[in-house]
């Protein structure tokens, strides 16, 4: 670290404390939820050696700030209830008064984009339920994204942060997983719920672990982060990327005939355009390509507001209806749901125009998604489908736009570097008392699944050390099924990472696994059934935190050879739904897995041996094991696994 950077950090720290008098972290705001039945840490800064007074539930507590201005008090455990007032002061005129403070259970939800996915994204799946959201005792807190390359910081970004009661408006852009978890836990236990979310899409697990935890085994990851501590270098690369992007788009628009010839015009003569089928078409170039489709609308529907559903597209799109832009999306994952105001559609012929822009890969439609125009009060729903729709044709008219070279860029995604998120948006949250932690991440580490088990253990140990709670409960959300299914054995990185998640939780008495192997989508890395995912997370906490005798997904206990030598017996931790089971594979001494027939009965699955000298058995070991059907009697899916054969 340069001397200049050290001086800037020291100056920032001095300014933070010297001007603070009494200051609380951003987590401490009116409307917050504090953890029941545990000591309640309250901390912050003040002037050096200043006395700090905390008034809480008719009692008063005092402490003295240290030489650097930091202070902390642990209030005694409190029962669920509220609202209460929390007052913190150094002097009578310096009091901070927090109102509407509730005591209940607090859950931290961390990870990548499957935690980020908001209620808005999943609304079509659960419209009636979301429309009825009104749980004022469930509070939502979103940590704003931030990075720090130099070390742990004291607080999160100050704005905009707030504890918000759960209603449709406040939840709309909040984590769907977190929202449904808060709803379910309140319904189950009847006490206030606090949901803290600090996720960041696309980030690897290394970004969430401290430098001390990584330094010994992953020194190059830590060194890369130090390399980017040069703020001038980072700023120069970011500026160069922005300039390259602007120049690339200028050249794209200048070279694209659709811009100069107005391919969006509804009366454009497109009779000579090429006909393509959206399910059998890709445009494998960098640049732009145009698609048009003519849709007939009758007089009655032309006067109505509508919604245009364009599934999911790769990569960016600019979409027009009758020459008017109705929406744009800059990357592949969000669903294209574009509202059409009353009067935009006209009786007779209407034209939908899409301009794809690709900086990499091939422009294409994502199958298994809705492509339609919907009308009526239920036009925003998908579960069930709207009653009044015009289904779009898979046939489109195509015209090439501009062919472009790749846009130059240098990687300055600081959020993906080791320790940066631990420093900025995890470390400042401790020691805020928690009931448990949800960790839903792994997609960004599937390229190297062999490391993931070790990294996950390091993360759990690191966070428990930070909170000074060796038994801090963790629910690990296992990766859902994704990508194209196959009926053949597959060497799957996704399956290997799921196994790492499973084995870590099996060895950890204070961790549980939420299995989502049946909740994924073939074509979408962000499966939409977040309510069901949250319910499985909640089951883990029912057992782990509250000691309830709930049954989770079936787990294997032992695998042994049967006495007849023709079968293997896999024993599970619970009774299974009986019958034929698909998804099992057996490997011989050569390590090559082949499909195997299996039958479930009681707590056992008997697998017919298809090889000589079987060495290992695995189940649902694929990116997307749609054929796997083993379930417990509670209807939860068995976890994917691989196990060795013993007692031959």
């Amino acid at each position: 670290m340069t001397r200049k950077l050290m001086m800037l950090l020291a100056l920032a720290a001095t300014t933070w404390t010297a001007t603070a008098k009494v200051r609380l972290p951003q987590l401490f705001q009116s409307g917050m939820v504090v953890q029941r039945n545990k000591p309640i840490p309250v901390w912050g800064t003040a002037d050096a050696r200043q006395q700090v007074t905390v008034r809480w539930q008719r009692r008063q507590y005092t402490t003295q700030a240290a030489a650097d201005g930091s202070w902390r008090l642990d209030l005694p455990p409190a029962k669920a209830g509220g609202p209460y007032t929390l007052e913190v002061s150094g002097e009578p005129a310096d009091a901070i008064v927090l109102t509407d403070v509730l005591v209940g259970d607090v859950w931290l939800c961390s990870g990548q984009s499957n935690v980020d996915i908001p209620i808005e994204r999943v609304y079509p799946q659960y419209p009636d339920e979301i429309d009825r959201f009104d749980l004022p005792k469930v509070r939502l807190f979103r940590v704003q994204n931030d990075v720090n390359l130099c070390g742990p910081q004291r607080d999160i970004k100050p704005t905009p942060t707030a504890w918000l009661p759960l209603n449709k408006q406040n939840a709309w852009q909040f984590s769907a997983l977190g929202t449904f978890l808060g709803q379910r836990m309140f319904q189950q236990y009847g006490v206030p719920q606090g949901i803290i979310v600090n996720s960041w899409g696309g980030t690897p697990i290394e970004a969430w672990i401290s430098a001390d935890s990584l330094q010994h085994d992953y020194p190059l990851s830590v060194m890369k982060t130090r390399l980017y501590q040069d703020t001038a270098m980072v700023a120069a690369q970011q500026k160069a990327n922005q300039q390259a992007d602007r120049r690339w788009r200028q050249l794209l628009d200048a070279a694209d005939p659709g811009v100069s010839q107005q391919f969006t015009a509804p009366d454009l003569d497109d009779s000579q355009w090429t006909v393509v089928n959206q399910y059998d078409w890709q445009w494998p170039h960098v640049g732009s390509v145009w698609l048009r489709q003519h849709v007939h609308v009758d007089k009655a529907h032309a006067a109505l507001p509508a919604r245009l559903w364009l599934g999911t597209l790769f990569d960016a799109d600019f979409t027009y209806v009758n020459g008017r832009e109705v929406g744009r999306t800059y990357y592949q994952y969000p669903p294209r749901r574009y509202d059409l105001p009353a009067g935009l559609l006209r009786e007779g012929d209407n034209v939908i125009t899409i301009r794809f822009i690709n900086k990499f890969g091939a422009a294409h439609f994502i199958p298994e998604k809705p492509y339609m125009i919907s009308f009526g009060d239920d036009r925003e729903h998908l579960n069930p489908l709207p009653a009044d729709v015009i289904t779009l044709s898979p046939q489109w008219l195509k015209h090439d736009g501009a062919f472009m070279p790749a846009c130059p860029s240098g990687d300055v995604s600081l959020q993906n570097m080791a320790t940066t998120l631990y420093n900025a948006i995890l470390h400042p949250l401790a020691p805020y008392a928690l009931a448990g932690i949800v960790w839903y991440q792994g997609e960004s580490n599937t390229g190297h699944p062999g490391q993931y088990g070790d990294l996950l253990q390091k993360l759990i140990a690191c966070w428990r050390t930070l909170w000074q709670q060796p038994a801090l409960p963790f629910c690990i959300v296992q990766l859902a099924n994704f990508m194209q299914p196959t009926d053949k054995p597959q060497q799957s990185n996704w399956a290997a990472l799921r196994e790492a998640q499973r084995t870590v939780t099996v060895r950890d008495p204070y961790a549980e696994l939420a299995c989502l192997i049946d909740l994924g989508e073939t074509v979408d890395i962000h499966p939409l059934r977040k309510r069901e995912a949250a319910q499985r997370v909640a089951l883990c906490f029912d057992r782990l935190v509250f000691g309830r005798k709930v049954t989770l997904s079936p787990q294997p206990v032992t695998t042994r050879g049967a006495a007849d030598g023709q079968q293997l017996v896999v024993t599970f931790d619970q009774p299974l739904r009986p019958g034929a089971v698909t998804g099992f594979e057996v490997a011989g001494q050569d390590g090559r897995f082949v499909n195997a027939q299996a039958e479930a009965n009681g707590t056992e699955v008997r697998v017919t041996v298809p090889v000589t000298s079987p060495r290992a058995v695995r189940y649902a070991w694929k990116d997307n094991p749609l054929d796997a059907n083993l379930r417990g009697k509670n209807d939860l899916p068995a976890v994917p696994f691989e196990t060795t054969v013993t007692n031959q």
Side-chain angles (χ1 to χ4, degrees), residues 153-171:
Q153 61 192 46
R154 286 184 171 180
D155 204 358
I156 57 177
K157 289 174 70 172
T159 55
T161 60
W163 288 89
L164 301 174
L166 197 172
N167 56 43
K168 181 180 178 181
Q169 178 180 355
N170 291 336

Side-chain angles (χ1 to χ4, degrees), residues 508-530:
D508 189 328
Y510 308 111
E512 293 286 3
L513 184 75
C515 176
L516 308 187
I517 199 61
D518 61 335
L519 297 183
E521 298 183 31
T522 298
V523 297
D524 198 336
I525 200 171
H526 304 120
L528 298 179
R529 295 170 65 187
K530 290 294 186 280

Side-chain angles (χ1 to χ4, degrees), residues 530-543:
K530 290 294 186 280
R531 180 184 64 185
E532 291 81 353
Q535 289 169 343
R536 294 184 188 179
V537 170
L539 283 174
C540 291
F541 287 134
D542 287 344
R543 177 196 282 186

Side-chain angles (χ1 to χ4, degrees), residues 273-281 291 365 394-398:
W273 286 29
T274 303
V275 178
V276 297
N277 186 297
Q278 70 181 43
Y279 299 121
D280 187 24
W281 166 85
L291 299 181
F365 292 80
Q395 306 297 324
W396 293 80
L397 301 171
K398 178 188 77 75

Side-chain angles (χ1 to χ4, degrees), residues 267-312:
D267 57 354
L268 178 78
D269 181 6
D270 53 22
S271 60
Q272 301 303 309
W273 286 29
T274 303
V275 178
V276 297
N277 186 297
Q278 70 181 43
Y279 299 121
D280 187 24
W281 166 85
Q282 289 189 343
W283 193 76
H285 304 287
V286 172
S288 61
V289 61
W290 296 79
L291 299 181
R292 284 167 62 94
Q293 179 170 155
H294 292 261
V295 179
H296 181 82
V297 178
D298 62 28
K299 181 178 180 179
H301 287 88
L304 300 176
R307 169 163 283 199
L308 173 63
W309 301 76
L310 285 176
T312 307

Side-chain angles (χ1 to χ4, degrees), residues 421-438:
L421 300 186
Y422 172 87
N423 292 338
I425 60 176
L426 189 282
H427 183 273
L429 303 183
Y432 202 87
L434 304 172
I437 292 174
V438 182

